[in-house]
Amino acid sequence: MADVSLRRPRALTIVIAVVIALFAVSGGVATFYTDLLWFEDLGQQGVFWTTLVSEWGVGLLFAGVFFVIMYINLRIARAMAPSVVLSSTDEIGFRYEMAIQQIREVIDRFFGWLLLGVSAFTALASGVSMSANWVDFQLWLNQVPFGVTDPQFGKDLAFYFFTVPAYRIVADWLTGALLITLLLTAAVHVLTGAIRPWARLKGFDPHVKAHLSVLAGLIVVVRAFVYWLDIYDLNFSPRGQVLGASYTDIHAQLPALQILIVIAVLSGIVLIANIRFKGWKLPAIAFGVWIAASILVGGVYPALVQQFRVDPNEVAAEAPYIERNIEMTRLAFGLEEIEVRAFPAEESLVASDIAANSQTIENVRLWDPEIVAQSYQQLQGIRPYYDFVDVDIDRYEIDGASRQVLISVREMNVGQLAEQAQTWVNQHLVYTHGYGVVVSPVNEVTGQGLPDFIVKDIPPSGSGILEVEEPGIYFGEQATNYVIAATDLEEFDYPVGDQNATTSYAGTSGVPMGGLVTRAAFALRFSAPQLLFSSYITPDSQVLFRRSLAERIDALAPWLMRDGDPYPTIIDGRVVWIVDGYTTSSRFPYSEPVYGDLNYMRNSVKITVDAYDGTTTLYAFDETDPLLATWRAVFPDLIRPASEIPDEVREHFRYPEDLFRVQAEVYKTYHMQDPQVFYNKEDQWALPGETADGTGAAMDPFYVLMQLPEEPAEDFMMMMPFTPRNKDNMIGWMAAKSDPEDYGRRVVYTFPKQKLVLGPEQVGARINQDPVISQQLTLWNQRGSGVLLGNQLVIPIDTSIVYIQPLYLQAEKTAMPQLTRVIVAYGDKVAMEADLTKALAAVFGDGPTTTTPSVDGGDTPVLTGDDALLAQELYLKAIEAQKSGDWAAYGSYLEQLGAVLERLSGLPSEPATATP
């Protein structure tokens, strides 16, 4: 009975272990199967199989080679075992030999299996580790030449991008494989008694010594190959003033590596030849010479050259290598195509000049995207479970003119459902999608100082300007949960009063649920047994997962760097996301890295994702990029040619913000092309807001729709001003065009160095110090509201710079900012008025300026009838607006009241004046 009771727990333990193992294996199988279904749904099963075969192929290849190396050497060591090991006369040696003899007697019966198991285990570990490097080998096998050579060795850049990384991986792997083999082989020799540690050097059998000498010699020869690779990696040396091979690298480190290659090869040969000699004298000499050379030739000599030859004459010594760095860095980041123009930065603008630039003025962005997002949420959120994740900027043809607009998508956030409503059915079958978009012009406001929407509400109303025919948002920025669509349970579509409109997904994209096997696979993948038992789910139901843009794109093309600001567009009545993809590297010779090790970047891919059905398309936007061409060779069906980009999509391409930031960051230093000026950093720039200690926040680049100086037409572009390093005045600005005709064309305007042009920080200080403005800001901040200042925009007009900054008021209890004032600064004038037209008039005079919408929705009323009664009425309205926190209306009523009181007093109404 006791035996039976003991067996039951053992049997139960085995059963539990088997069940756990099955679950673990089944989870992996389920993920594999559902991943395959997902790639097939997108028509990209080639990506799935190429990745799988490459990963497994690399793993199996290196595991096989490792196994052969290990097993053959262990078998050789086993064959060298002496038949008798009891030969020692001293007590310690005798006891050791007795222990070895006993071990041999125990393991002799299964020693062969032990060697096989050890070899298989280490080979498997090696294969799994190496399988992660499949990308490097695929790129190496499919590499496309750059057509550009490095300035030091004359190698095509593809050699550094693809060949050197693959060779180094192999060299490191081979070193590790031989070293592990050497150690385990030595252990076998010890266990078999072929090596007797107690006998010191005499304890080595000649055959054992020969065996270990060959392995050690091969390791040293591989090290010589690593030295050869190190020669080419001098192109990435950080020793000099800039990245790349410096004077010391070329004149000291390079010869040192060449010498070390010779010494390493000779040392390896000596170790291998030692099989024909007795003792370890030759290997000891070879190792001693190698180590001494590594220290003296490889370390001490370059340091002496740097200290005594380069440091006292650094400018002259490093100038040729700095010049290389400048040239290659500008090439790596695409800066060589930037056009540089002089900008006079004059202060001669008058009202007629403002009127002549009406298109630019009419598209000045008065709504800050980060600030207006709060108003969007309050005014168009409709329900708590709808979120506006981000507000983006784009342009559309409206009433025959290109208009700059703000656009945002109303996404579903099931986490905001009432707690009792957060059931599995609601989260995955009912509340499956967001609904609609919201669009408002960047410069228009309502009478309450709020955004003036041209696409709004649920269902979306486009006022005949922009119509959204398919408003369902199943794919977006925050759609991270899976959903089951097209079930027998109607999906929530949008609220209608106290009822809800329902729908059923009709898209072609999505993985069909199918039969029991597919159901079980998804149930395991999502840890959701409800998928197996829910009666709402039918074989025709579709599983939508990887619905967020990040998950979707990263699964298809993990080698792409995504831009951090995807944006929605309305194209043919559908909401389509556009995402910029970058090919990047850290392997561009002589190119200075930024943001870590990034030293090459191209906006090679544009990606579109349909917000309703998830159709994802990758377009080769920069087909001249060799890195992209190499990836296209690896995945030939993944990326479509640029010629297939629809015109209606191309019209909404923007110069991407992340690329612009990187290029601006690099250009701060690399606009200097003279090596001596570069060395001294005489003309280094900075971004507005940056500080030397790194505590300041740099100004964000911004999109504008404007006409550049000397350009024939307006263009949608991104801009960024520059300031001198450690100074706040403005020194220039960069613009990058986005419209199809001139996409990617970049222009840098530089200011006269003998003229002081106020920068954004200085203008901001002047605004805060203005007595009229500061007094008004203090007053507003003390009356239950807060003042929010929007982005300060630097607007070039003709040959001058005008600063424009919107001002918002926000009640303490309601996060709904109202556009209340617009500040304009030019030269020594600053004005804050109710709208942009008035602010411009205050600065430039009452000439024929262009008309922009007023924050109060209209002009001051014409005074008719009893002015006293009108004054009383306006006063009462102002008090009511103050009580309700509507500061835009409050300011408007006060202005109108002032006009009435001036009429009553018989005094002429004076125009607003600019404060110096």
Side-chain angles (χ1 to χ4, degrees), residues 82 84-89 93 96-97 100 186 189-206 208:
V84 179
V85 297
L86 296 175
S87 60
S88 180
T89 56
Y96 185 85
E97 290 176 344
I100 291 295
H189 282 308
V190 171
L191 288 175
T192 59
I195 295 178
R196 291 170 290 169
W198 65 91
R200 299 180 183 177
L201 293 179
K202 294 181 181 179
F204 278 85
D205 181 274
V208 173

PDB file of all heavy atoms in Angstrom, residues 82 84-89 93 96-97 100 186 189-206 208:
ATOM      1  N   PRO A  82      44.431   7.183 -21.949  1.00  0.00           N
ATOM      2  CA  PRO A  82      45.352   6.063 -21.674  1.00  0.00           C
ATOM      3  C   PRO A  82      44.591   4.884 -21.081  1.00  0.00           C
ATOM      4  O   PRO A  82      43.564   5.050 -20.433  1.00  0.00           O
ATOM      5  CB  PRO A  82      46.341   6.664 -20.667  1.00  0.00           C
ATOM      6  CG  PRO A  82      45.581   7.763 -20.010  1.00  0.00           C
ATOM      7  CD  PRO A  82      44.656   8.298 -21.045  1.00  0.00           C
ATOM      8  N   VAL A  84      45.663   2.812 -18.761  1.00  0.00           N
ATOM      9  CA  VAL A  84      45.866   2.766 -17.314  1.00  0.00           C
ATOM     10  C   VAL A  84      46.402   4.121 -16.878  1.00  0.00           C
ATOM     11  O   VAL A  84      47.277   4.683 -17.522  1.00  0.00           O
ATOM     12  CB  VAL A  84      46.865   1.653 -16.922  1.00  0.00           C
ATOM     13  CG1 VAL A  84      47.076   1.646 -15.413  1.00  0.00           C
ATOM     14  CG2 VAL A  84      46.369   0.306 -17.392  1.00  0.00           C
ATOM     15  N   VAL A  85      45.879   4.629 -15.770  1.00  0.00           N
ATOM     16  CA  VAL A  85      46.339   5.935 -15.313  1.00  0.00           C
ATOM     17  C   VAL A  85      47.040   5.863 -13.963  1.00  0.00           C
ATOM     18  O   VAL A  85      47.509   6.849 -13.456  1.00  0.00           O
ATOM     19  CB  VAL A  85      45.141   6.907 -15.199  1.00  0.00           C
ATOM     20  CG1 VAL A  85      44.521   7.121 -16.555  1.00  0.00           C
ATOM     21  CG2 VAL A  85      44.111   6.400 -14.205  1.00  0.00           C
ATOM     22  N   LEU A  86      47.122   4.645 -13.364  1.00  0.00           N
ATOM     23  CA  LEU A  86      47.738   4.533 -12.045  1.00  0.00           C
ATOM     24  C   LEU A  86      49.252   4.433 -12.205  1.00  0.00           C
ATOM     25  O   LEU A  86      49.829   3.352 -12.306  1.00  0.00           O
ATOM     26  CB  LEU A  86      47.196   3.294 -11.324  1.00  0.00           C
ATOM     27  CG  LEU A  86      45.688   3.320 -11.016  1.00  0.00           C
ATOM     28  CD1 LEU A  86      45.244   1.990 -10.408  1.00  0.00           C
ATOM     29  CD2 LEU A  86      45.369   4.455 -10.077  1.00  0.00           C
ATOM     30  N   SER A  87      49.934   5.582 -12.248  1.00  0.00           N
ATOM     31  CA  SER A  87      51.385   5.583 -12.434  1.00  0.00           C
ATOM     32  C   SER A  87      52.103   6.498 -11.454  1.00  0.00           C
ATOM     33  O   SER A  87      53.319   6.586 -11.463  1.00  0.00           O
ATOM     34  CB  SER A  87      51.730   6.001 -13.864  1.00  0.00           C
ATOM     35  OG  SER A  87      51.232   7.307 -14.102  1.00  0.00           O
ATOM     36  N   SER A  88      51.360   7.207 -10.629  1.00  0.00           N
ATOM     37  CA  SER A  88      51.975   8.165  -9.727  1.00  0.00           C
ATOM     38  C   SER A  88      52.503   7.465  -8.488  1.00  0.00           C
ATOM     39  O   SER A  88      51.912   6.494  -7.989  1.00  0.00           O
ATOM     40  CB  SER A  88      50.951   9.222  -9.333  1.00  0.00           C
ATOM     41  OG  SER A  88      51.533  10.148  -8.468  1.00  0.00           O
ATOM     42  N   THR A  89      53.616   7.979  -7.968  1.00  0.00           N
ATOM     43  CA  THR A  89      54.227   7.392  -6.776  1.00  0.00           C
ATOM     44  C   THR A  89      53.943   8.201  -5.522  1.00  0.00           C
ATOM     45  O   THR A  89      54.028   7.670  -4.418  1.00  0.00           O
ATOM     46  CB  THR A  89      55.752   7.283  -6.975  1.00  0.00           C
ATOM     47  OG1 THR A  89      56.257   8.588  -7.296  1.00  0.00           O
ATOM     48  CG2 THR A  89      56.086   6.338  -8.125  1.00  0.00           C
ATOM     49  N   GLY A  93      49.053  12.324  -5.898  1.00  0.00           N
ATOM     50  CA  GLY A  93      48.852  11.878  -7.271  1.00  0.00           C
ATOM     51  C   GLY A  93      48.164  10.529  -7.318  1.00  0.00           C
ATOM     52  O   GLY A  93      47.294  10.299  -8.167  1.00  0.00           O
ATOM     53  N   TYR A  96      44.488  10.950  -6.617  1.00  0.00           N
ATOM     54  CA  TYR A  96      43.824  11.587  -7.767  1.00  0.00           C
ATOM     55  C   TYR A  96      43.595  10.558  -8.867  1.00  0.00           C
ATOM     56  O   TYR A  96      42.524  10.485  -9.474  1.00  0.00           O
ATOM     57  CB  TYR A  96      44.664  12.754  -8.281  1.00  0.00           C
ATOM     58  CG  TYR A  96      43.990  13.522  -9.386  1.00  0.00           C
ATOM     59  CD1 TYR A  96      43.090  14.540  -9.089  1.00  0.00           C
ATOM     60  CD2 TYR A  96      44.243  13.209 -10.716  1.00  0.00           C
ATOM     61  CE1 TYR A  96      42.455  15.243 -10.101  1.00  0.00           C
ATOM     62  CE2 TYR A  96      43.609  13.896 -11.739  1.00  0.00           C
ATOM     63  CZ  TYR A  96      42.707  14.924 -11.421  1.00  0.00           C
ATOM     64  OH  TYR A  96      42.078  15.601 -12.427  1.00  0.00           O
ATOM     65  N   GLU A  97      44.649   9.728  -9.121  1.00  0.00           N
ATOM     66  CA  GLU A  97      44.516   8.726 -10.177  1.00  0.00           C
ATOM     67  C   GLU A  97      43.460   7.695  -9.819  1.00  0.00           C
ATOM     68  O   GLU A  97      42.738   7.217 -10.699  1.00  0.00           O
ATOM     69  CB  GLU A  97      45.862   8.055 -10.420  1.00  0.00           C
ATOM     70  CG  GLU A  97      46.879   8.987 -11.093  1.00  0.00           C
ATOM     71  CD  GLU A  97      48.246   8.347 -11.234  1.00  0.00           C
ATOM     72  OE1 GLU A  97      48.482   7.323 -10.549  1.00  0.00           O
ATOM     73  OE2 GLU A  97      49.056   8.857 -12.017  1.00  0.00           O
ATOM     74  N   ILE A 100      40.120   9.290 -10.600  1.00  0.00           N
ATOM     75  CA  ILE A 100      39.893   9.303 -12.050  1.00  0.00           C
ATOM     76  C   ILE A 100      39.521   7.919 -12.541  1.00  0.00           C
ATOM     77  O   ILE A 100      38.619   7.742 -13.381  1.00  0.00           O
ATOM     78  CB  ILE A 100      41.138   9.815 -12.805  1.00  0.00           C
ATOM     79  CG1 ILE A 100      41.349  11.300 -12.520  1.00  0.00           C
ATOM     80  CG2 ILE A 100      41.017   9.574 -14.312  1.00  0.00           C
ATOM     81  CD1 ILE A 100      40.231  12.173 -13.049  1.00  0.00           C
ATOM     82  N   ALA A 186      39.805  19.869 -23.096  1.00  0.00           N
ATOM     83  CA  ALA A 186      40.757  19.736 -21.983  1.00  0.00           C
ATOM     84  C   ALA A 186      40.103  19.017 -20.810  1.00  0.00           C
ATOM     85  O   ALA A 186      40.742  18.184 -20.139  1.00  0.00           O
ATOM     86  CB  ALA A 186      41.243  21.113 -21.560  1.00  0.00           C
ATOM     87  N   HIS A 189      40.121  15.354 -21.491  1.00  0.00           N
ATOM     88  CA  HIS A 189      41.474  14.808 -21.273  1.00  0.00           C
ATOM     89  C   HIS A 189      41.760  14.625 -19.792  1.00  0.00           C
ATOM     90  O   HIS A 189      42.434  13.664 -19.402  1.00  0.00           O
ATOM     91  CB  HIS A 189      42.507  15.744 -21.897  1.00  0.00           C
ATOM     92  CG  HIS A 189      42.627  15.629 -23.383  1.00  0.00           C
ATOM     93  ND1 HIS A 189      42.832  14.427 -24.035  1.00  0.00           N
ATOM     94  CD2 HIS A 189      42.572  16.574 -24.376  1.00  0.00           C
ATOM     95  CE1 HIS A 189      42.899  14.630 -25.338  1.00  0.00           C
ATOM     96  NE2 HIS A 189      42.734  15.933 -25.582  1.00  0.00           N
ATOM     97  N   VAL A 190      41.291  15.556 -18.967  1.00  0.00           N
ATOM     98  CA  VAL A 190      41.499  15.431 -17.519  1.00  0.00           C
ATOM     99  C   VAL A 190      40.721  14.238 -16.986  1.00  0.00           C
ATOM    100  O   VAL A 190      41.230  13.423 -16.195  1.00  0.00           O
ATOM    101  CB  VAL A 190      41.090  16.725 -16.805  1.00  0.00           C
ATOM    102  CG1 VAL A 190      41.082  16.524 -15.284  1.00  0.00           C
ATOM    103  CG2 VAL A 190      42.032  17.858 -17.166  1.00  0.00           C
ATOM    104  N   LEU A 191      39.458  14.099 -17.399  1.00  0.00           N
ATOM    105  CA  LEU A 191      38.612  13.008 -16.904  1.00  0.00           C
ATOM    106  C   LEU A 191      39.146  11.638 -17.327  1.00  0.00           C
ATOM    107  O   LEU A 191      39.000  10.658 -16.597  1.00  0.00           O
ATOM    108  CB  LEU A 191      37.179  13.180 -17.415  1.00  0.00           C
ATOM    109  CG  LEU A 191      36.375  14.315 -16.776  1.00  0.00           C
ATOM    110  CD1 LEU A 191      35.022  14.458 -17.457  1.00  0.00           C
ATOM    111  CD2 LEU A 191      36.181  14.057 -15.279  1.00  0.00           C
ATOM    112  N   THR A 192      39.733  11.589 -18.496  1.00  0.00           N
ATOM    113  CA  THR A 192      40.260  10.298 -18.966  1.00  0.00           C
ATOM    114  C   THR A 192      41.668  10.021 -18.454  1.00  0.00           C
ATOM    115  O   THR A 192      42.215   8.935 -18.706  1.00  0.00           O
ATOM    116  CB  THR A 192      40.278  10.259 -20.505  1.00  0.00           C
ATOM    117  OG1 THR A 192      41.095  11.323 -20.999  1.00  0.00           O
ATOM    118  CG2 THR A 192      38.868  10.386 -21.060  1.00  0.00           C
ATOM    119  N   GLY A 193      42.276  10.990 -17.774  1.00  0.00           N
ATOM    120  CA  GLY A 193      43.611  10.795 -17.240  1.00  0.00           C
ATOM    121  C   GLY A 193      44.723  11.131 -18.210  1.00  0.00           C
ATOM    122  O   GLY A 193      45.903  10.956 -17.892  1.00  0.00           O
ATOM    123  N   ALA A 194      44.369  11.622 -19.402  1.00  0.00           N
ATOM    124  CA  ALA A 194      45.408  11.986 -20.377  1.00  0.00           C
ATOM    125  C   ALA A 194      46.168  13.229 -19.934  1.00  0.00           C
ATOM    126  O   ALA A 194      47.324  13.424 -20.307  1.00  0.00           O
ATOM    127  CB  ALA A 194      44.779  12.220 -21.748  1.00  0.00           C
ATOM    128  N   ILE A 195      45.505  14.084 -19.169  1.00  0.00           N
ATOM    129  CA  ILE A 195      46.163  15.227 -18.543  1.00  0.00           C
ATOM    130  C   ILE A 195      46.153  14.989 -17.046  1.00  0.00           C
ATOM    131  O   ILE A 195      45.086  14.753 -16.454  1.00  0.00           O
ATOM    132  CB  ILE A 195      45.443  16.536 -18.880  1.00  0.00           C
ATOM    133  CG1 ILE A 195      45.538  16.844 -20.372  1.00  0.00           C
ATOM    134  CG2 ILE A 195      46.035  17.702 -18.086  1.00  0.00           C
ATOM    135  CD1 ILE A 195      44.804  18.118 -20.787  1.00  0.00           C
ATOM    136  N   ARG A 196      47.336  15.046 -16.451  1.00  0.00           N
ATOM    137  CA  ARG A 196      47.461  14.842 -15.011  1.00  0.00           C
ATOM    138  C   ARG A 196      47.959  16.136 -14.380  1.00  0.00           C
ATOM    139  O   ARG A 196      49.152  16.426 -14.411  1.00  0.00           O
ATOM    140  CB  ARG A 196      48.435  13.694 -14.740  1.00  0.00           C
ATOM    141  CG  ARG A 196      47.881  12.330 -15.155  1.00  0.00           C
ATOM    142  CD  ARG A 196      48.944  11.264 -15.114  1.00  0.00           C
ATOM    143  NE  ARG A 196      49.934  11.449 -16.177  1.00  0.00           N
ATOM    144  CZ  ARG A 196      51.087  10.772 -16.220  1.00  0.00           C
ATOM    145  NH1 ARG A 196      51.406   9.917 -15.294  1.00  0.00           N
ATOM    146  NH2 ARG A 196      51.929  11.006 -17.215  1.00  0.00           N
ATOM    147  N   PRO A 197      47.031  16.942 -13.822  1.00  0.00           N
ATOM    148  CA  PRO A 197      47.420  18.256 -13.273  1.00  0.00           C
ATOM    149  C   PRO A 197      48.486  18.175 -12.207  1.00  0.00           C
ATOM    150  O   PRO A 197      49.305  19.079 -12.071  1.00  0.00           O
ATOM    151  CB  PRO A 197      46.098  18.799 -12.712  1.00  0.00           C
ATOM    152  CG  PRO A 197      45.028  18.051 -13.459  1.00  0.00           C
ATOM    153  CD  PRO A 197      45.589  16.695 -13.705  1.00  0.00           C
ATOM    154  N   TRP A 198      48.492  17.075 -11.439  1.00  0.00           N
ATOM    155  CA  TRP A 198      49.459  16.974 -10.356  1.00  0.00           C
ATOM    156  C   TRP A 198      50.889  16.810 -10.878  1.00  0.00           C
ATOM    157  O   TRP A 198      51.847  17.044 -10.176  1.00  0.00           O
ATOM    158  CB  TRP A 198      49.095  15.777  -9.453  1.00  0.00           C
ATOM    159  CG  TRP A 198      49.209  14.459 -10.170  1.00  0.00           C
ATOM    160  CD1 TRP A 198      50.296  13.647 -10.227  1.00  0.00           C
ATOM    161  CD2 TRP A 198      48.204  13.843 -10.964  1.00  0.00           C
ATOM    162  NE1 TRP A 198      50.057  12.552 -10.999  1.00  0.00           N
ATOM    163  CE2 TRP A 198      48.757  12.636 -11.464  1.00  0.00           C
ATOM    164  CE3 TRP A 198      46.905  14.164 -11.303  1.00  0.00           C
ATOM    165  CZ2 TRP A 198      48.045  11.765 -12.276  1.00  0.00           C
ATOM    166  CZ3 TRP A 198      46.210  13.288 -12.087  1.00  0.00           C
ATOM    167  CH2 TRP A 198      46.760  12.115 -12.588  1.00  0.00           C
ATOM    168  N   ALA A 199      50.987  16.416 -12.167  1.00  0.00           N
ATOM    169  CA  ALA A 199      52.311  16.179 -12.729  1.00  0.00           C
ATOM    170  C   ALA A 199      52.857  17.391 -13.470  1.00  0.00           C
ATOM    171  O   ALA A 199      53.890  17.311 -14.118  1.00  0.00           O
ATOM    172  CB  ALA A 199      52.264  14.980 -13.674  1.00  0.00           C
ATOM    173  N   ARG A 200      52.133  18.516 -13.372  1.00  0.00           N
ATOM    174  CA  ARG A 200      52.520  19.750 -14.038  1.00  0.00           C
ATOM    175  C   ARG A 200      52.709  19.516 -15.540  1.00  0.00           C
ATOM    176  O   ARG A 200      51.933  18.816 -16.176  1.00  0.00           O
ATOM    177  CB  ARG A 200      53.776  20.343 -13.397  1.00  0.00           C
ATOM    178  CG  ARG A 200      53.561  20.693 -11.934  1.00  0.00           C
ATOM    179  CD  ARG A 200      54.810  21.288 -11.304  1.00  0.00           C
ATOM    180  NE  ARG A 200      54.570  21.542  -9.890  1.00  0.00           N
ATOM    181  CZ  ARG A 200      55.490  22.005  -9.058  1.00  0.00           C
ATOM    182  NH1 ARG A 200      56.717  22.268  -9.518  1.00  0.00           N
ATOM    183  NH2 ARG A 200      55.204  22.206  -7.799  1.00  0.00           N
ATOM    184  N   LEU A 201      53.712  20.144 -16.167  1.00  0.00           N
ATOM    185  CA  LEU A 201      53.855  20.057 -17.612  1.00  0.00           C
ATOM    186  C   LEU A 201      54.159  18.646 -18.077  1.00  0.00           C
ATOM    187  O   LEU A 201      53.848  18.270 -19.203  1.00  0.00           O
ATOM    188  CB  LEU A 201      54.955  21.014 -18.090  1.00  0.00           C
ATOM    189  CG  LEU A 201      54.650  22.506 -17.918  1.00  0.00           C
ATOM    190  CD1 LEU A 201      55.839  23.332 -18.401  1.00  0.00           C
ATOM    191  CD2 LEU A 201      53.394  22.896 -18.676  1.00  0.00           C
ATOM    192  N   LYS A 202      54.781  17.880 -17.213  1.00  0.00           N
ATOM    193  CA  LYS A 202      55.102  16.509 -17.595  1.00  0.00           C
ATOM    194  C   LYS A 202      53.845  15.646 -17.671  1.00  0.00           C
ATOM    195  O   LYS A 202      53.888  14.535 -18.164  1.00  0.00           O
ATOM    196  CB  LYS A 202      56.085  15.893 -16.593  1.00  0.00           C
ATOM    197  CG  LYS A 202      57.449  16.581 -16.608  1.00  0.00           C
ATOM    198  CD  LYS A 202      58.376  15.924 -15.613  1.00  0.00           C
ATOM    199  CE  LYS A 202      59.753  16.621 -15.609  1.00  0.00           C
ATOM    200  NZ  LYS A 202      60.661  16.002 -14.627  1.00  0.00           N
ATOM    201  N   GLY A 203      52.733  16.214 -17.139  1.00  0.00           N
ATOM    202  CA  GLY A 203      51.499  15.436 -17.156  1.00  0.00           C
ATOM    203  C   GLY A 203      50.799  15.458 -18.491  1.00  0.00           C
ATOM    204  O   GLY A 203      49.726  14.875 -18.621  1.00  0.00           O
ATOM    205  N   PHE A 204      51.372  16.082 -19.491  1.00  0.00           N
ATOM    206  CA  PHE A 204      50.748  16.149 -20.803  1.00  0.00           C
ATOM    207  C   PHE A 204      51.299  15.046 -21.700  1.00  0.00           C
ATOM    208  O   PHE A 204      52.505  14.950 -21.927  1.00  0.00           O
ATOM    209  CB  PHE A 204      51.004  17.499 -21.464  1.00  0.00           C
ATOM    210  CG  PHE A 204      50.075  18.583 -20.998  1.00  0.00           C
ATOM    211  CD1 PHE A 204      50.362  19.298 -19.850  1.00  0.00           C
ATOM    212  CD2 PHE A 204      48.914  18.862 -21.701  1.00  0.00           C
ATOM    213  CE1 PHE A 204      49.510  20.292 -19.419  1.00  0.00           C
ATOM    214  CE2 PHE A 204      48.064  19.861 -21.274  1.00  0.00           C
ATOM    215  CZ  PHE A 204      48.354  20.579 -20.130  1.00  0.00           C
ATOM    216  N   ASP A 205      50.392  14.246 -22.196  1.00  0.00           N
ATOM    217  CA  ASP A 205      50.752  13.282 -23.228  1.00  0.00           C
ATOM    218  C   ASP A 205      51.096  14.062 -24.500  1.00  0.00           C
ATOM    219  O   ASP A 205      50.443  15.070 -24.809  1.00  0.00           O
ATOM    220  CB  ASP A 205      49.566  12.343 -23.470  1.00  0.00           C
ATOM    221  CG  ASP A 205      49.888  11.301 -24.515  1.00  0.00           C
ATOM    222  OD1 ASP A 205      49.700  11.618 -25.711  1.00  0.00           O
ATOM    223  OD2 ASP A 205      50.285  10.184 -24.141  1.00  0.00           O
ATOM    224  N   PRO A 206      52.082  13.673 -25.270  1.00  0.00           N
ATOM    225  CA  PRO A 206      52.449  14.410 -26.491  1.00  0.00           C
ATOM    226  C   PRO A 206      51.284  14.586 -27.453  1.00  0.00           C
ATOM    227  O   PRO A 206      51.138  15.625 -28.086  1.00  0.00           O
ATOM    228  CB  PRO A 206      53.556  13.547 -27.104  1.00  0.00           C
ATOM    229  CG  PRO A 206      54.138  12.800 -25.949  1.00  0.00           C
ATOM    230  CD  PRO A 206      53.003  12.543 -25.007  1.00  0.00           C
ATOM    231  N   VAL A 208      48.110  14.678 -26.628  1.00  0.00           N
ATOM    232  CA  VAL A 208      47.194  15.640 -26.023  1.00  0.00           C
ATOM    233  C   VAL A 208      47.706  17.059 -26.244  1.00  0.00           C
ATOM    234  O   VAL A 208      46.951  17.977 -26.598  1.00  0.00           O
ATOM    235  CB  VAL A 208      47.022  15.351 -24.517  1.00  0.00           C
ATOM    236  CG1 VAL A 208      46.202  16.449 -23.854  1.00  0.00           C
ATOM    237  CG2 VAL A 208      46.385  13.994 -24.312  1.00  0.00           C
TER     238      VAL A 208
END
